[in-house]
Amino acid sequence: QVQLVESGGGLVQAGGSLRLSCAASGRTFRNYGMGWFRQAPGKEREFVAAISWSGGNTYYAASVKGRFTISRDNAKNTVYLQMNSLKPEDTAVYICAATAVTTPPDAPDEYNYWGRGTQVTVSS
């Protein structure tokens, strides 16, 4: 089992920044690729970004590329999502997830463990 706990969400004005953290415990963190997803009310869960187990490869949704940066610190068992130039349409619950798939996928079904999420609200 891998337990994931997100933090860092909040209310920010459009154009602002937030840094989300996801702390992992349980099985060896460095064995897993990590992803961030988001879900807005009434919408399906949406892929945001992913990072390979080593941190050497990162992947982004087109809607956030150039604004968001995913990173990880395997010594601290933590993955981060730096979000800059936030827009109202980025408002959602942001959820981190762990996958045993070597190249982290963008499909939620490919992830084995999920956190409970942290709310991000961007005001216009």
Side-chain angles (χ1 to χ4, degrees):
Q1 290 285 339
V2 175
Q3 292 79 41
L4 303 171
V5 179
E6 302 92 338
S7 61
L11 174 64
V12 64
Q13 288 188 332
S17 298
L18 282 174
R19 189 194 196 202
L20 306 184
S21 299
C22 174
S25 60
R27 292 193 174 185
T28 306
F29 175 70
R30 63 172 59 87
N31 288 346
Y32 292 87
M34 298 297 296
W36 283 97
F37 290 77
R38 64 188 182 187
Q39 190 162 19
K43 294 189 176 181
E44 291 189 353
R45 191 162 292 187
E46 174 189 21
F47 171 77
V48 175
I51 188 167
S52 62
W53 67 271
S54 67
N57 294 291
T58 56
Y59 311 87
Y60 297 94
S63 59
V64 306
K65 197 167 187 178
R67 300 188 297 122
F68 291 11
T69 303
I70 188 171
S71 61
R72 66 189 295 162
D73 185 338
N74 286 343
K76 295 183 178 180
N77 287 359
T78 302
V79 63
Y80 305 97
L81 185 68
Q82 177 67 44
M83 306 187 296
N84 298 329
S85 302
L86 282 161
K87 305 174 181 180
E89 52 263 44
D90 294 318
T91 295
V93 174
Y94 283 71
I95 310 160
C96 74
T99 178
V101 178
T102 301
T103 300
D106 58 8
D109 290 350
E110 299 287 344
Y111 285 76
N112 306 96
Y113 303 102
W114 293 86
R116 302 184 72 172
T118 184
Q119 176 71 46
V120 171
T121 304
V122 184
S123 63
S124 57

